[in-house]
Amino acid sequence: MELEQLDVKTVFLYGELKEEIYMKQPKGFVVPTKEQCVYQLKKSLYELKQVLRQWYKRFHIFMIGQGYTRSRYDNYVCFRQYSDGSLVYLLLYVDDMLIASKDKSLISRLKSQLSREFEMKDLGAAKKIIEMEIQRNQKAEKLYLSQSRYLEKVLDIFSMGNCKAVSTPFAAHFKLFAESCS
């Protein structure tokens, strides 16, 4: 399984506003003799309440146009199954994307499609996303996810870095299988 990571630059500017929103002229951009005038926004700005909703709508419309389907289990996961059975998954978290597939050429195709539509930064092979570290064992064809560094940071914030560790309360006989998720 290949995992590639992308970052969308200036993600909040991609949302198209449907509502009429006005703002005061920002300092440094005040038009002389029109100090009392306001601007009508045509695009989303960072601190608007609507900004994430508009970005996600715009992104998913684009992905559907590329032949992808939104997961019924998670609205921020899209996938596409090709006629030969190959699958490509895209996970979106605000402006971070993780693309997964066994076929590297399909990942490259999707990255190219995304780059034509949005200004992207290609971060290459994924090593970390949403505070999860990703480790690969190519020979065993396994991926491992860990949040140990994140948990250590959280413990330090709450002055619990030296607390007593205990095992995770999860029954030892319980096994997780991909088939149980369908």
PDB file of all heavy atoms in Angstrom, residues 63-69 78-90 99-114 116:
ATOM      1  N   MET A  63     -14.332  16.210  -6.559  1.00  0.00           N
ATOM      2  CA  MET A  63     -14.008  14.781  -6.492  1.00  0.00           C
ATOM      3  C   MET A  63     -15.067  13.922  -7.185  1.00  0.00           C
ATOM      4  O   MET A  63     -14.741  12.975  -7.893  1.00  0.00           O
ATOM      5  CB  MET A  63     -13.830  14.326  -5.038  1.00  0.00           C
ATOM      6  CG  MET A  63     -12.584  14.895  -4.375  1.00  0.00           C
ATOM      7  SD  MET A  63     -11.032  14.488  -5.212  1.00  0.00           S
ATOM      8  CE  MET A  63     -10.915  12.741  -4.885  1.00  0.00           C
ATOM      9  N   ILE A  64     -16.320  14.267  -7.015  1.00  0.00           N
ATOM     10  CA  ILE A  64     -17.394  13.535  -7.694  1.00  0.00           C
ATOM     11  C   ILE A  64     -17.245  13.683  -9.197  1.00  0.00           C
ATOM     12  O   ILE A  64     -17.419  12.726  -9.950  1.00  0.00           O
ATOM     13  CB  ILE A  64     -18.770  14.004  -7.178  1.00  0.00           C
ATOM     14  CG1 ILE A  64     -18.965  13.486  -5.747  1.00  0.00           C
ATOM     15  CG2 ILE A  64     -19.895  13.529  -8.089  1.00  0.00           C
ATOM     16  CD1 ILE A  64     -20.111  14.127  -4.993  1.00  0.00           C
ATOM     17  N   GLY A  65     -16.858  14.869  -9.643  1.00  0.00           N
ATOM     18  CA  GLY A  65     -16.609  15.110 -11.062  1.00  0.00           C
ATOM     19  C   GLY A  65     -15.461  14.284 -11.616  1.00  0.00           C
ATOM     20  O   GLY A  65     -15.389  14.031 -12.816  1.00  0.00           O
ATOM     21  N   GLN A  66     -14.572  13.835 -10.737  1.00  0.00           N
ATOM     22  CA  GLN A  66     -13.436  13.006 -11.153  1.00  0.00           C
ATOM     23  C   GLN A  66     -13.768  11.510 -11.055  1.00  0.00           C
ATOM     24  O   GLN A  66     -12.893  10.671 -11.261  1.00  0.00           O
ATOM     25  CB  GLN A  66     -12.202  13.311 -10.302  1.00  0.00           C
ATOM     26  CG  GLN A  66     -11.748  14.749 -10.341  1.00  0.00           C
ATOM     27  CD  GLN A  66     -11.475  15.234 -11.746  1.00  0.00           C
ATOM     28  OE1 GLN A  66     -10.732  14.619 -12.495  1.00  0.00           O
ATOM     29  NE2 GLN A  66     -12.089  16.338 -12.124  1.00  0.00           N
ATOM     30  N   GLY A  67     -15.006  11.191 -10.706  1.00  0.00           N
ATOM     31  CA  GLY A  67     -15.413   9.787 -10.641  1.00  0.00           C
ATOM     32  C   GLY A  67     -15.283   9.151  -9.273  1.00  0.00           C
ATOM     33  O   GLY A  67     -15.407   7.937  -9.137  1.00  0.00           O
ATOM     34  N   TYR A  68     -15.054   9.948  -8.252  1.00  0.00           N
ATOM     35  CA  TYR A  68     -14.923   9.421  -6.893  1.00  0.00           C
ATOM     36  C   TYR A  68     -16.272   9.412  -6.187  1.00  0.00           C
ATOM     37  O   TYR A  68     -17.177  10.161  -6.538  1.00  0.00           O
ATOM     38  CB  TYR A  68     -13.905  10.248  -6.095  1.00  0.00           C
ATOM     39  CG  TYR A  68     -12.494   9.897  -6.472  1.00  0.00           C
ATOM     40  CD1 TYR A  68     -11.942  10.358  -7.666  1.00  0.00           C
ATOM     41  CD2 TYR A  68     -11.721   9.086  -5.669  1.00  0.00           C
ATOM     42  CE1 TYR A  68     -10.659  10.015  -8.042  1.00  0.00           C
ATOM     43  CE2 TYR A  68     -10.422   8.738  -6.035  1.00  0.00           C
ATOM     44  CZ  TYR A  68      -9.915   9.206  -7.223  1.00  0.00           C
ATOM     45  OH  TYR A  68      -8.645   8.854  -7.590  1.00  0.00           O
ATOM     46  N   THR A  69     -16.382   8.574  -5.193  1.00  0.00           N
ATOM     47  CA  THR A  69     -17.592   8.443  -4.392  1.00  0.00           C
ATOM     48  C   THR A  69     -17.246   8.802  -2.958  1.00  0.00           C
ATOM     49  O   THR A  69     -16.186   8.422  -2.452  1.00  0.00           O
ATOM     50  CB  THR A  69     -18.096   6.975  -4.432  1.00  0.00           C
ATOM     51  OG1 THR A  69     -18.314   6.613  -5.789  1.00  0.00           O
ATOM     52  CG2 THR A  69     -19.376   6.811  -3.646  1.00  0.00           C
ATOM     53  N   CYS A  78     -13.060   9.822   0.322  1.00  0.00           N
ATOM     54  CA  CYS A  78     -13.555   9.562  -1.032  1.00  0.00           C
ATOM     55  C   CYS A  78     -12.781   8.368  -1.573  1.00  0.00           C
ATOM     56  O   CYS A  78     -11.628   8.152  -1.205  1.00  0.00           O
ATOM     57  CB  CYS A  78     -13.294  10.752  -1.953  1.00  0.00           C
ATOM     58  SG  CYS A  78     -14.125  12.248  -1.474  1.00  0.00           S
ATOM     59  N   PHE A  79     -13.406   7.616  -2.455  1.00  0.00           N
ATOM     60  CA  PHE A  79     -12.711   6.494  -3.061  1.00  0.00           C
ATOM     61  C   PHE A  79     -13.193   6.306  -4.487  1.00  0.00           C
ATOM     62  O   PHE A  79     -14.258   6.777  -4.872  1.00  0.00           O
ATOM     63  CB  PHE A  79     -12.909   5.206  -2.252  1.00  0.00           C
ATOM     64  CG  PHE A  79     -14.328   4.724  -2.234  1.00  0.00           C
ATOM     65  CD1 PHE A  79     -14.776   3.802  -3.167  1.00  0.00           C
ATOM     66  CD2 PHE A  79     -15.227   5.202  -1.291  1.00  0.00           C
ATOM     67  CE1 PHE A  79     -16.085   3.356  -3.160  1.00  0.00           C
ATOM     68  CE2 PHE A  79     -16.543   4.770  -1.281  1.00  0.00           C
ATOM     69  CZ  PHE A  79     -16.977   3.844  -2.218  1.00  0.00           C
ATOM     70  N   ARG A  80     -12.374   5.608  -5.253  1.00  0.00           N
ATOM     71  CA  ARG A  80     -12.733   5.271  -6.623  1.00  0.00           C
ATOM     72  C   ARG A  80     -12.232   3.873  -6.914  1.00  0.00           C
ATOM     73  O   ARG A  80     -11.074   3.553  -6.642  1.00  0.00           O
ATOM     74  CB  ARG A  80     -12.120   6.259  -7.606  1.00  0.00           C
ATOM     75  CG  ARG A  80     -12.496   5.956  -9.039  1.00  0.00           C
ATOM     76  CD  ARG A  80     -12.035   7.023  -9.982  1.00  0.00           C
ATOM     77  NE  ARG A  80     -12.372   6.637 -11.344  1.00  0.00           N
ATOM     78  CZ  ARG A  80     -12.064   7.351 -12.412  1.00  0.00           C
ATOM     79  NH1 ARG A  80     -11.449   8.514 -12.268  1.00  0.00           N
ATOM     80  NH2 ARG A  80     -12.387   6.933 -13.602  1.00  0.00           N
ATOM     81  N   GLN A  81     -13.131   3.058  -7.463  1.00  0.00           N
ATOM     82  CA  GLN A  81     -12.740   1.720  -7.874  1.00  0.00           C
ATOM     83  C   GLN A  81     -12.716   1.692  -9.393  1.00  0.00           C
ATOM     84  O   GLN A  81     -13.688   2.051 -10.049  1.00  0.00           O
ATOM     85  CB  GLN A  81     -13.699   0.663  -7.341  1.00  0.00           C
ATOM     86  CG  GLN A  81     -13.244  -0.738  -7.672  1.00  0.00           C
ATOM     87  CD  GLN A  81     -13.977  -1.798  -6.880  1.00  0.00           C
ATOM     88  OE1 GLN A  81     -14.993  -1.544  -6.272  1.00  0.00           O
ATOM     89  NE2 GLN A  81     -13.436  -3.003  -6.884  1.00  0.00           N
ATOM     90  N   TYR A  82     -11.584   1.290  -9.936  1.00  0.00           N
ATOM     91  CA  TYR A  82     -11.414   1.224 -11.379  1.00  0.00           C
ATOM     92  C   TYR A  82     -11.891  -0.133 -11.893  1.00  0.00           C
ATOM     93  O   TYR A  82     -12.101  -1.071 -11.126  1.00  0.00           O
ATOM     94  CB  TYR A  82      -9.948   1.471 -11.742  1.00  0.00           C
ATOM     95  CG  TYR A  82      -9.543   2.914 -11.555  1.00  0.00           C
ATOM     96  CD1 TYR A  82      -9.149   3.389 -10.311  1.00  0.00           C
ATOM     97  CD2 TYR A  82      -9.600   3.811 -12.613  1.00  0.00           C
ATOM     98  CE1 TYR A  82      -8.801   4.720 -10.131  1.00  0.00           C
ATOM     99  CE2 TYR A  82      -9.252   5.147 -12.438  1.00  0.00           C
ATOM    100  CZ  TYR A  82      -8.857   5.586 -11.201  1.00  0.00           C
ATOM    101  OH  TYR A  82      -8.524   6.902 -11.029  1.00  0.00           O
ATOM    102  N   SER A  83     -12.075  -0.236 -13.205  1.00  0.00           N
ATOM    103  CA  SER A  83     -12.624  -1.443 -13.822  1.00  0.00           C
ATOM    104  C   SER A  83     -11.769  -2.686 -13.556  1.00  0.00           C
ATOM    105  O   SER A  83     -12.289  -3.797 -13.519  1.00  0.00           O
ATOM    106  CB  SER A  83     -12.811  -1.250 -15.330  1.00  0.00           C
ATOM    107  OG  SER A  83     -11.583  -0.908 -15.928  1.00  0.00           O
ATOM    108  N   ASP A  84     -10.459  -2.505 -13.336  1.00  0.00           N
ATOM    109  CA  ASP A  84      -9.598  -3.659 -13.051  1.00  0.00           C
ATOM    110  C   ASP A  84      -9.611  -4.042 -11.565  1.00  0.00           C
ATOM    111  O   ASP A  84      -8.879  -4.928 -11.136  1.00  0.00           O
ATOM    112  CB  ASP A  84      -8.167  -3.397 -13.509  1.00  0.00           C
ATOM    113  CG  ASP A  84      -7.482  -2.282 -12.726  1.00  0.00           C
ATOM    114  OD1 ASP A  84      -8.133  -1.632 -11.882  1.00  0.00           O
ATOM    115  OD2 ASP A  84      -6.281  -2.051 -12.975  1.00  0.00           O
ATOM    116  N   GLY A  85     -10.443  -3.343 -10.774  1.00  0.00           N
ATOM    117  CA  GLY A  85     -10.546  -3.627  -9.342  1.00  0.00           C
ATOM    118  C   GLY A  85      -9.649  -2.777  -8.467  1.00  0.00           C
ATOM    119  O   GLY A  85      -9.759  -2.814  -7.244  1.00  0.00           O
ATOM    120  N   SER A  86      -8.748  -2.000  -9.068  1.00  0.00           N
ATOM    121  CA  SER A  86      -7.863  -1.123  -8.298  1.00  0.00           C
ATOM    122  C   SER A  86      -8.665  -0.076  -7.550  1.00  0.00           C
ATOM    123  O   SER A  86      -9.660   0.437  -8.063  1.00  0.00           O
ATOM    124  CB  SER A  86      -6.871  -0.414  -9.214  1.00  0.00           C
ATOM    125  OG  SER A  86      -6.060  -1.336  -9.877  1.00  0.00           O
ATOM    126  N   LEU A  87      -8.213   0.252  -6.363  1.00  0.00           N
ATOM    127  CA  LEU A  87      -8.878   1.249  -5.525  1.00  0.00           C
ATOM    128  C   LEU A  87      -7.929   2.385  -5.183  1.00  0.00           C
ATOM    129  O   LEU A  87      -6.724   2.166  -5.010  1.00  0.00           O
ATOM    130  CB  LEU A  87      -9.351   0.619  -4.217  1.00  0.00           C
ATOM    131  CG  LEU A  87     -10.612  -0.225  -4.290  1.00  0.00           C
ATOM    132  CD1 LEU A  87     -10.732  -1.096  -3.053  1.00  0.00           C
ATOM    133  CD2 LEU A  87     -11.830   0.658  -4.430  1.00  0.00           C
ATOM    134  N   VAL A  88      -8.495   3.589  -5.083  1.00  0.00           N
ATOM    135  CA  VAL A  88      -7.767   4.751  -4.593  1.00  0.00           C
ATOM    136  C   VAL A  88      -8.635   5.394  -3.522  1.00  0.00           C
ATOM    137  O   VAL A  88      -9.836   5.597  -3.729  1.00  0.00           O
ATOM    138  CB  VAL A  88      -7.488   5.787  -5.704  1.00  0.00           C
ATOM    139  CG1 VAL A  88      -6.758   6.988  -5.143  1.00  0.00           C
ATOM    140  CG2 VAL A  88      -6.699   5.172  -6.826  1.00  0.00           C
ATOM    141  N   TYR A  89      -8.034   5.684  -2.382  1.00  0.00           N
ATOM    142  CA  TYR A  89      -8.735   6.352  -1.291  1.00  0.00           C
ATOM    143  C   TYR A  89      -8.107   7.708  -1.065  1.00  0.00           C
ATOM    144  O   TYR A  89      -6.884   7.857  -1.136  1.00  0.00           O
ATOM    145  CB  TYR A  89      -8.616   5.554   0.016  1.00  0.00           C
ATOM    146  CG  TYR A  89      -9.336   4.238  -0.013  1.00  0.00           C
ATOM    147  CD1 TYR A  89      -8.669   3.080  -0.382  1.00  0.00           C
ATOM    148  CD2 TYR A  89     -10.672   4.149   0.332  1.00  0.00           C
ATOM    149  CE1 TYR A  89      -9.319   1.860  -0.407  1.00  0.00           C
ATOM    150  CE2 TYR A  89     -11.334   2.928   0.312  1.00  0.00           C
ATOM    151  CZ  TYR A  89     -10.645   1.797  -0.052  1.00  0.00           C
ATOM    152  OH  TYR A  89     -11.291   0.599  -0.074  1.00  0.00           O
ATOM    153  N   LEU A  90      -8.933   8.703  -0.759  1.00  0.00           N
ATOM    154  CA  LEU A  90      -8.440  10.015  -0.385  1.00  0.00           C
ATOM    155  C   LEU A  90      -9.113  10.393   0.926  1.00  0.00           C
ATOM    156  O   LEU A  90     -10.334  10.359   1.029  1.00  0.00           O
ATOM    157  CB  LEU A  90      -8.749  11.067  -1.441  1.00  0.00           C
ATOM    158  CG  LEU A  90      -8.186  12.447  -1.096  1.00  0.00           C
ATOM    159  CD1 LEU A  90      -7.674  13.129  -2.349  1.00  0.00           C
ATOM    160  CD2 LEU A  90      -9.179  13.317  -0.388  1.00  0.00           C
ATOM    161  N   ILE A  99      -3.545  10.127   0.394  1.00  0.00           N
ATOM    162  CA  ILE A  99      -4.011   9.303  -0.724  1.00  0.00           C
ATOM    163  C   ILE A  99      -3.394   7.918  -0.557  1.00  0.00           C
ATOM    164  O   ILE A  99      -2.191   7.797  -0.362  1.00  0.00           O
ATOM    165  CB  ILE A  99      -3.601   9.900  -2.079  1.00  0.00           C
ATOM    166  CG1 ILE A  99      -4.143  11.325  -2.215  1.00  0.00           C
ATOM    167  CG2 ILE A  99      -4.110   9.026  -3.216  1.00  0.00           C
ATOM    168  CD1 ILE A  99      -3.637  12.060  -3.440  1.00  0.00           C
ATOM    169  N   ALA A 100      -4.241   6.892  -0.641  1.00  0.00           N
ATOM    170  CA  ALA A 100      -3.782   5.518  -0.453  1.00  0.00           C
ATOM    171  C   ALA A 100      -4.224   4.652  -1.625  1.00  0.00           C
ATOM    172  O   ALA A 100      -5.366   4.734  -2.071  1.00  0.00           O
ATOM    173  CB  ALA A 100      -4.349   4.955   0.847  1.00  0.00           C
ATOM    174  N   SER A 101      -3.301   3.840  -2.105  1.00  0.00           N
ATOM    175  CA  SER A 101      -3.601   2.876  -3.162  1.00  0.00           C
ATOM    176  C   SER A 101      -2.432   1.915  -3.291  1.00  0.00           C
ATOM    177  O   SER A 101      -1.295   2.253  -2.937  1.00  0.00           O
ATOM    178  CB  SER A 101      -3.815   3.582  -4.505  1.00  0.00           C
ATOM    179  OG  SER A 101      -4.090   2.639  -5.519  1.00  0.00           O
ATOM    180  N   LYS A 102      -2.690   0.745  -3.809  1.00  0.00           N
ATOM    181  CA  LYS A 102      -1.608  -0.191  -4.112  1.00  0.00           C
ATOM    182  C   LYS A 102      -0.923   0.198  -5.418  1.00  0.00           C
ATOM    183  O   LYS A 102       0.187  -0.205  -5.684  1.00  0.00           O
ATOM    184  CB  LYS A 102      -2.147  -1.618  -4.209  1.00  0.00           C
ATOM    185  CG  LYS A 102      -2.545  -2.192  -2.872  1.00  0.00           C
ATOM    186  CD  LYS A 102      -2.979  -3.637  -3.006  1.00  0.00           C
ATOM    187  CE  LYS A 102      -3.324  -4.197  -1.633  1.00  0.00           C
ATOM    188  NZ  LYS A 102      -3.731  -5.603  -1.708  1.00  0.00           N
ATOM    189  N   ASP A 103      -1.626   0.993  -6.236  1.00  0.00           N
ATOM    190  CA  ASP A 103      -1.120   1.374  -7.562  1.00  0.00           C
ATOM    191  C   ASP A 103      -0.594   2.810  -7.524  1.00  0.00           C
ATOM    192  O   ASP A 103      -1.365   3.770  -7.475  1.00  0.00           O
ATOM    193  CB  ASP A 103      -2.247   1.235  -8.582  1.00  0.00           C
ATOM    194  CG  ASP A 103      -1.787   1.426 -10.009  1.00  0.00           C
ATOM    195  OD1 ASP A 103      -0.768   2.121 -10.230  1.00  0.00           O
ATOM    196  OD2 ASP A 103      -2.453   0.896 -10.913  1.00  0.00           O
ATOM    197  N   LYS A 104       0.712   2.967  -7.548  1.00  0.00           N
ATOM    198  CA  LYS A 104       1.335   4.293  -7.460  1.00  0.00           C
ATOM    199  C   LYS A 104       0.938   5.198  -8.634  1.00  0.00           C
ATOM    200  O   LYS A 104       0.829   6.405  -8.479  1.00  0.00           O
ATOM    201  CB  LYS A 104       2.849   4.138  -7.382  1.00  0.00           C
ATOM    202  CG  LYS A 104       3.545   5.394  -6.915  1.00  0.00           C
ATOM    203  CD  LYS A 104       4.932   5.073  -6.418  1.00  0.00           C
ATOM    204  CE  LYS A 104       5.655   6.296  -5.952  1.00  0.00           C
ATOM    205  NZ  LYS A 104       5.402   6.667  -4.588  1.00  0.00           N
ATOM    206  N   SER A 105       0.686   4.613  -9.813  1.00  0.00           N
ATOM    207  CA  SER A 105       0.305   5.432 -10.973  1.00  0.00           C
ATOM    208  C   SER A 105      -1.077   6.067 -10.767  1.00  0.00           C
ATOM    209  O   SER A 105      -1.332   7.168 -11.243  1.00  0.00           O
ATOM    210  CB  SER A 105       0.322   4.606 -12.260  1.00  0.00           C
ATOM    211  OG  SER A 105      -0.700   3.633 -12.259  1.00  0.00           O
ATOM    212  N   LEU A 106      -1.967   5.385 -10.046  1.00  0.00           N
ATOM    213  CA  LEU A 106      -3.283   5.962  -9.756  1.00  0.00           C
ATOM    214  C   LEU A 106      -3.163   7.115  -8.756  1.00  0.00           C
ATOM    215  O   LEU A 106      -3.894   8.103  -8.849  1.00  0.00           O
ATOM    216  CB  LEU A 106      -4.248   4.895  -9.238  1.00  0.00           C
ATOM    217  CG  LEU A 106      -4.612   3.802 -10.246  1.00  0.00           C
ATOM    218  CD1 LEU A 106      -5.526   2.768  -9.601  1.00  0.00           C
ATOM    219  CD2 LEU A 106      -5.264   4.395 -11.495  1.00  0.00           C
ATOM    220  N   ILE A 107      -2.226   6.989  -7.837  1.00  0.00           N
ATOM    221  CA  ILE A 107      -1.969   8.092  -6.899  1.00  0.00           C
ATOM    222  C   ILE A 107      -1.441   9.293  -7.678  1.00  0.00           C
ATOM    223  O   ILE A 107      -1.892  10.420  -7.474  1.00  0.00           O
ATOM    224  CB  ILE A 107      -0.972   7.663  -5.804  1.00  0.00           C
ATOM    225  CG1 ILE A 107      -1.624   6.630  -4.882  1.00  0.00           C
ATOM    226  CG2 ILE A 107      -0.492   8.869  -5.002  1.00  0.00           C
ATOM    227  CD1 ILE A 107      -0.690   6.052  -3.834  1.00  0.00           C
ATOM    228  N   SER A 108      -0.512   9.045  -8.593  1.00  0.00           N
ATOM    229  CA  SER A 108       0.049  10.130  -9.405  1.00  0.00           C
ATOM    230  C   SER A 108      -1.029  10.794 -10.246  1.00  0.00           C
ATOM    231  O   SER A 108      -1.044  12.017 -10.386  1.00  0.00           O
ATOM    232  CB  SER A 108       1.153   9.600 -10.316  1.00  0.00           C
ATOM    233  OG  SER A 108       2.238   9.157  -9.555  1.00  0.00           O
ATOM    234  N   ARG A 109      -1.936  10.009 -10.802  1.00  0.00           N
ATOM    235  CA  ARG A 109      -3.033  10.558 -11.601  1.00  0.00           C
ATOM    236  C   ARG A 109      -3.906  11.480 -10.760  1.00  0.00           C
ATOM    237  O   ARG A 109      -4.231  12.593 -11.167  1.00  0.00           O
ATOM    238  CB  ARG A 109      -3.886   9.433 -12.179  1.00  0.00           C
ATOM    239  CG  ARG A 109      -5.076   9.972 -12.988  1.00  0.00           C
ATOM    240  CD  ARG A 109      -6.068   8.908 -13.350  1.00  0.00           C
ATOM    241  NE  ARG A 109      -5.517   7.985 -14.327  1.00  0.00           N
ATOM    242  CZ  ARG A 109      -6.184   6.951 -14.798  1.00  0.00           C
ATOM    243  NH1 ARG A 109      -7.402   6.683 -14.381  1.00  0.00           N
ATOM    244  NH2 ARG A 109      -5.639   6.166 -15.712  1.00  0.00           N
ATOM    245  N   LEU A 110      -4.286  11.032  -9.560  1.00  0.00           N
ATOM    246  CA  LEU A 110      -5.127  11.853  -8.697  1.00  0.00           C
ATOM    247  C   LEU A 110      -4.388  13.120  -8.258  1.00  0.00           C
ATOM    248  O   LEU A 110      -4.966  14.204  -8.248  1.00  0.00           O
ATOM    249  CB  LEU A 110      -5.604  11.060  -7.483  1.00  0.00           C
ATOM    250  CG  LEU A 110      -6.452  11.827  -6.469  1.00  0.00           C
ATOM    251  CD1 LEU A 110      -7.672  12.481  -7.126  1.00  0.00           C
ATOM    252  CD2 LEU A 110      -6.887  10.917  -5.332  1.00  0.00           C
ATOM    253  N   LYS A 111      -3.110  13.000  -7.932  1.00  0.00           N
ATOM    254  CA  LYS A 111      -2.330  14.174  -7.542  1.00  0.00           C
ATOM    255  C   LYS A 111      -2.297  15.199  -8.677  1.00  0.00           C
ATOM    256  O   LYS A 111      -2.411  16.408  -8.440  1.00  0.00           O
ATOM    257  CB  LYS A 111      -0.921  13.761  -7.145  1.00  0.00           C
ATOM    258  CG  LYS A 111      -0.857  13.069  -5.800  1.00  0.00           C
ATOM    259  CD  LYS A 111       0.439  12.334  -5.581  1.00  0.00           C
ATOM    260  CE  LYS A 111       1.560  13.168  -5.153  1.00  0.00           C
ATOM    261  NZ  LYS A 111       2.756  12.390  -4.761  1.00  0.00           N
ATOM    262  N   SER A 112      -2.172  14.725  -9.891  1.00  0.00           N
ATOM    263  CA  SER A 112      -2.154  15.609 -11.052  1.00  0.00           C
ATOM    264  C   SER A 112      -3.505  16.305 -11.227  1.00  0.00           C
ATOM    265  O   SER A 112      -3.568  17.515 -11.477  1.00  0.00           O
ATOM    266  CB  SER A 112      -1.807  14.796 -12.293  1.00  0.00           C
ATOM    267  OG  SER A 112      -1.839  15.594 -13.433  1.00  0.00           O
ATOM    268  N   GLN A 113      -4.589  15.548 -11.074  1.00  0.00           N
ATOM    269  CA  GLN A 113      -5.933  16.134 -11.180  1.00  0.00           C
ATOM    270  C   GLN A 113      -6.138  17.206 -10.115  1.00  0.00           C
ATOM    271  O   GLN A 113      -6.649  18.294 -10.403  1.00  0.00           O
ATOM    272  CB  GLN A 113      -7.006  15.044 -11.033  1.00  0.00           C
ATOM    273  CG  GLN A 113      -7.062  14.073 -12.177  1.00  0.00           C
ATOM    274  CD  GLN A 113      -7.913  12.853 -11.856  1.00  0.00           C
ATOM    275  OE1 GLN A 113      -7.943  12.349 -10.733  1.00  0.00           O
ATOM    276  NE2 GLN A 113      -8.620  12.358 -12.869  1.00  0.00           N
ATOM    277  N   LEU A 114      -5.751  16.898  -8.894  1.00  0.00           N
ATOM    278  CA  LEU A 114      -5.905  17.854  -7.793  1.00  0.00           C
ATOM    279  C   LEU A 114      -5.068  19.107  -8.021  1.00  0.00           C
ATOM    280  O   LEU A 114      -5.524  20.220  -7.777  1.00  0.00           O
ATOM    281  CB  LEU A 114      -5.520  17.195  -6.468  1.00  0.00           C
ATOM    282  CG  LEU A 114      -6.495  16.150  -5.933  1.00  0.00           C
ATOM    283  CD1 LEU A 114      -5.827  15.289  -4.873  1.00  0.00           C
ATOM    284  CD2 LEU A 114      -7.750  16.816  -5.401  1.00  0.00           C
ATOM    285  N   ARG A 116      -4.182  20.443 -10.803  1.00  0.00           N
ATOM    286  CA  ARG A 116      -4.749  21.309 -11.851  1.00  0.00           C
ATOM    287  C   ARG A 116      -5.893  22.162 -11.314  1.00  0.00           C
ATOM    288  O   ARG A 116      -6.156  23.248 -11.817  1.00  0.00           O
ATOM    289  CB  ARG A 116      -5.238  20.462 -13.030  1.00  0.00           C
ATOM    290  CG  ARG A 116      -4.112  19.980 -13.929  1.00  0.00           C
ATOM    291  CD  ARG A 116      -4.625  19.418 -15.240  1.00  0.00           C
ATOM    292  NE  ARG A 116      -5.460  18.253 -15.086  1.00  0.00           N
ATOM    293  CZ  ARG A 116      -5.030  16.992 -15.052  1.00  0.00           C
ATOM    294  NH1 ARG A 116      -3.737  16.744 -15.158  1.00  0.00           N
ATOM    295  NH2 ARG A 116      -5.871  15.990 -14.924  1.00  0.00           N
TER     296      ARG A 116
END
